[in-house]
Amino acid sequence: MSRDRYVDFLRAWAILLVVLGHWLITALVRRPDGTITAPELLATLPWTQWLTLGFQIMPLFFLAGGHAAAGSWSRARAAGGTAAGWVGKRAVRLLLPTAAYSGLVLLAVGVCAALGVDPATLALVGWAMAMQFWFLPVYLLISALTPALYALHERWGIRVPVAMGAAGFGVGTLVAVGDASSRGAAVEAVGALNYLLVWGVVHQLGFCWRDGLLGGKGRRSGGARQGGGGRDGGSGRRSDAGRQGGGPTGWRAYGGAAVLAVGGVAGFALLVGPGPFPVSLILVTGQEPGNTDPPSAALLAWSLAQVGVALLVAPALRRVLERAGVRRAVRVLGAGSMTLYLWHMLPVLIVAAAFYLTGLAPQPRYGSPGWWALRGPWLLVLAAVLAAFVRALRPLERALVSLDARVRPGPGLRGAAAWRVWAGLGVSGWALTWFAGHGFAYGGTFPAWPAAALAAGTLCATLPYGRGEVRDVHSREGAADGPAGSAADGAAGPDTPSGRAA
């Protein structure tokens, strides 16, 4: 009952819209020679770029992630846990299902390459199966930095995301100056900082939201901040007033949210209208500058607007979430969110083979009213295939949950074991970044080095301690990962192999 169901709703809603958005913009066309092509909807029909304002929903995920991480890290630290133990546990929850998914996809790529499948087709399929991977290294990085970022939050509060936002705006402006051909490697490297700065701003606002610094229902009422992170009696648990939504009401309660919403929308309009940025919040081939690779100042402004709106509508949605049926739907969606996120493009390939390669699917002119009318049946068929596939994956999910319980680092992790966690995160993060940029079959070939790096990094992070360290780690685990910690840290979050574990 101490969980904030609205945080669970935001994460589940974000994952749902990611899946629907990817399905909606995926367009398949069968040529007269029988080959399948995938035209880029946002480039072919430019007006569809406006749809990305609703489907680029990942700011809500980072906001909810920051809210949950603040509570989880506070509890772990209060119980004597270390940063390496906390980060390692969260990394394992993300890396295990990701490694299982990647291993199965890479196995299929290797078999297809050995059988002589057309390299161009294999590269396209490999890209489709990795298109969602951009999020994983970014979230791993922000999770690894959470203990340090939360320490900054405890000292300077709202000033931290303000400073990060200003830096992100400056980086985005630098990258946007000139065309792509005039940018050097140094500028591109600086631009990459915005993956941390822009998404980190939203994650940091999750800290502020939890502590009531943005108004509304926070952990502490009135935005008052106490020493030591404001934990209630050192226990790290929210006070009763915070759980019940105590504190100011009216403008004092939601003024910060209103400023974020109005200011974010106004900033986005200026940056997209007279400014240099496009309206699309998803990467469009050939569009310079873009808004996502790296995150731009326009994406930062829209993220702030989303945060403000999310906080403004929170009271109404919390009342809706009191209904048992709605709670159950959110819980079910959250429980399978990691599976949905990783596997949701597989139904596209299955349906393409079943209906397009065979010529069974009708082929109205691309972008015509008839083509749009078929988007509804397209989404329904994909949803049915994904539901069946998720059900078939339940044994794998249970196996991952069991493995997670056996290999996760303890909260008191120190010494050489801690360094192996950090090394595993670094190697895994590099591999995931490579897959995000190149797919699983770049050039139609098997990516041996990235595959080996992901396997090595995952093993390094999931086997973090030796015999001499096990006793100390396990002796502290129960204190820091009791029912409150495990429930709030992952029961419905997409950074778990399966919410069913909770």
Side-chain angles (χ1 to χ4, degrees), residues 11 19 265 283 354 500:
R11 294 197 287 192
V19 172
V265 170
L283 180 66
R500 298 181 187 90

Side-chain angles (χ1 to χ4, degrees), residues 313-339:
V313 303
L317 287 178
R318 281 195 174 101
R319 289 192 292 271
V320 175
L321 290 169
E322 291 299 320
R323 302 173 184 174
V326 177
R327 289 201 308 270
R328 189 179 305 111
V330 171
R331 185 167 60 248
V332 170
L333 185 59
S337 56
M338 190 65 180
T339 301

Side-chain angles (χ1 to χ4, degrees), residues 54-160:
F55 282 100
Q56 178 52 275
I57 205 72
M58 293 311 288
L60 296 185
F61 183 89
F62 281 98
L63 175 70
H67 188 291
S72 174
W73 168 238
S74 295
R75 285 186 295 272
R77 184 183 58 179
T82 63
W86 182 83
V87 171
K89 187 174 82 168
R90 293 176 72 84
V92 166
R93 287 175 170 176
L94 188 147
L95 287 175
L96 282 179
T98 301
Y101 169 82
S102 301
L104 292 173
V105 174
L106 288 168
L107 176 62
V109 168
V111 171
C112 291
L115 293 176
V117 172
D118 175 57
T121 301
L122 192 58
L124 177 62
V125 171
W127 170 81
M129 296 298 285
M131 63 184 299
Q132 72 277 32
F133 265 38
W134 72 267
F135 159 80
L136 299 173
V138 176
Y139 199 73
L140 275 176
L141 174 62
I142 292 179
S143 294
L145 294 176
T146 289
L149 292 174
Y150 193 71
L152 294 177
H153 163 75
E154 289 182 314
R155 183 166 185 177
W156 286 300
I158 194 68
R159 286 174 286 182
V160 178

Side-chain angles (χ1 to χ4, degrees), residues 223-481:
R225 300 177 67 245
Q226 306 296 330
R231 293 188 300 275
D232 185 17
S235 67
R237 297 183 181 273
R238 292 176 291 174
S239 66
D240 290 338
R243 285 197 298 268
Q244 299 302 322
T249 59
W251 171 253
R252 289 183 60 198
Y254 299 104
V259 168
L260 286 174
V262 174
V265 170
F268 180 80
L270 290 173
L271 291 166
V272 168
F277 298 99
V279 70
S280 177
L281 294 177
I282 296 176
L283 180 66
V284 178
T285 301
Q287 195 173 73
E288 291 291 344
N291 281 323
T292 59
D293 188 22
S296 70
L299 180 57
L300 172 61
W302 193 252
S303 298
L304 297 179
Q306 280 196 13
V307 170
V309 172
L311 298 185
L312 289 174
V313 303
L317 287 178
R318 281 195 174 101
R319 289 192 292 271
V320 175
L321 290 169
E322 291 299 320
R323 302 173 184 174
V326 177
R327 289 201 308 270
R328 189 179 305 111
V330 171
R331 185 167 60 248
V332 170
L333 185 59
S337 56
M338 190 65 180
T339 301
L340 294 176
Y341 185 78
L342 289 173
W343 292 94
H344 71 271
M345 288 303 291
L346 182 61
V348 175
L349 304 180
I350 295 174
V351 173
F355 292 96
Y356 285 87
L357 286 177
T358 61
L360 293 176
Q363 287 285 302
R365 182 174 55 86
Y366 184 77
S368 66
W371 183 87
W372 280 105
L374 288 174
R375 291 284 89 184
W378 163 259
L379 295 177
L380 291 176
V381 171
L382 292 180
V385 173
L386 182 59
F389 198 77
V390 168
R391 187 176 185 86
L393 283 173
R394 284 182 179 175
L396 175 60
E397 286 185 329
R398 287 192 289 267
L400 290 173
V401 169
S402 176
L403 182 61
D404 179 293
R406 293 197 300 270
V407 304
R408 72 171 61 169
L413 201 63
R414 290 180 173 84
W419 284 108
R420 285 197 291 276
V421 166
W422 300 121
L425 285 177
V427 175
S428 300
W430 174 84
L432 293 173
T433 301
W434 193 94
F435 286 129
H438 299 83
F440 283 112
Y442 185 64
T445 60
F446 183 85
W449 283 109
L454 180 59
T458 302
L459 286 174
C460 198
T462 55
L463 300 174
Y465 43 80
R467 293 189 179 186
E469 297 158 315
V470 172
R471 183 175 302 171
D472 176 67
V473 170
H474 285 177
S475 68
R476 307 174 67 123
E477 186 165 1
D481 193 27

